[in-house]
Amino acid sequence: MFTKKVVVAYNDTDLSNDVLDYVHEILEMHAEIELNIVYAYEHPLENPSPFQRNYDDGAPEMLAYAEQIIQKAKNRFVDLPNHVEGFVYDTGPAAAILSHAHDHHADLIVIGNRGTRGLRELVSSVSRTIQTKSHIPVLTFPKFVQEEFEEEYHK
């Protein structure tokens, strides 16, 4: 078996839902693979400045929303015998995913890639950060845009 535990980064976008569809197909073939679904969000500031006083007001709602997102993702796997768990972290996504994979002895990280380029990719790409800092294999799914595919390959 190529993996025993898979960590999937999830944020309820079309791309992350496509990633879950792919992972579902893999789990259908291998009931022994465990799945950890990770959702991370930035927690509001603990000591806001006078200009940020109301920033922390939404913290309970953010956590409740995050838990709903994880439950939605887990529900996609109820038809399978695999062990599926969801985890919510209130820290940056790259750090949360890498830390979770290490702490839970994962064999593979699966994440979507929006296809940002240039400086933006180097500065803000979660998938790029995970690829460069992970000590385990990372499977990235590029965002597939039908129009770009047709222009490039059907000229």
Side-chain angles (χ1 to χ4, degrees):
M1 176 56 41
F2 72 99
T3 186
K4 293 180 181 177
K5 186 177 284 188
V6 175
V7 172
V8 174
Y10 184 72
N11 63 357
D12 197 28
T13 60
D14 289 343
L15 179 57
S16 66
N17 283 308
D18 290 346
V19 169
L20 284 188
D21 289 342
Y22 179 78
V23 170
H24 190 280
E25 290 179 24
I26 292 172
L27 296 185
E28 282 179 322
M29 295 183 283
H30 303 283
E32 66 279 4
I33 296 176
E34 293 181 34
L35 175 62
N36 287 181
I37 304 168
V38 175
Y39 178 85
Y41 68 95
E42 299 280 350
H43 188 280
L45 302 173
E46 290 182 23
N47 297 313
S49 72
F51 301 107
Q52 300 167 318
R53 288 281 187 235
N54 294 327
Y55 188 76
D56 197 36
D57 291 345
E61 289 82 8
M62 289 175 69
L63 179 58
Y65 176 74
E67 290 171 351
Q68 288 176 353
I69 294 296
I70 282 295
Q71 191 57 51
K72 177 181 177 182
K74 286 175 56 178
N75 287 343
R76 296 174 69 128
F77 296 91
V78 295
D79 61 322
L80 300 178
N82 305 73
H83 180 73
V84 177
E85 287 187 77
F87 298 86
V88 174
Y89 293 96
D90 62 350
T91 187
I97 293 159
L98 289 167
S99 177
H100 178 90
H102 178 267
D103 294 347
H104 289 84
H105 309 290
D107 303 309
L108 176 68
I109 297 171
V110 183
I111 188 169
N113 181 333
R114 295 173 299 165
T116 56
R117 304 221 190 290
L119 184 60
R120 183 178 178 130
E121 177 187 19
L122 294 174
V123 172
S124 67
S125 174
V126 173
S127 61
R128 171 87 169 173
T129 301
I130 290 171
Q131 285 176 323
T132 58
K133 294 187 177 186
S134 178
H135 295 288
I136 62 171
V138 178
L139 177 61
T140 57
F141 277 77
K143 181 179 178 183
F144 180 75
V145 179
Q146 185 67 31
E147 297 82 25
E148 290 178 14
F149 176 79
E150 289 174 358
E151 287 177 14
E152 186 71 27
Y153 298 102
H154 297 288
K155 291 182 180 180

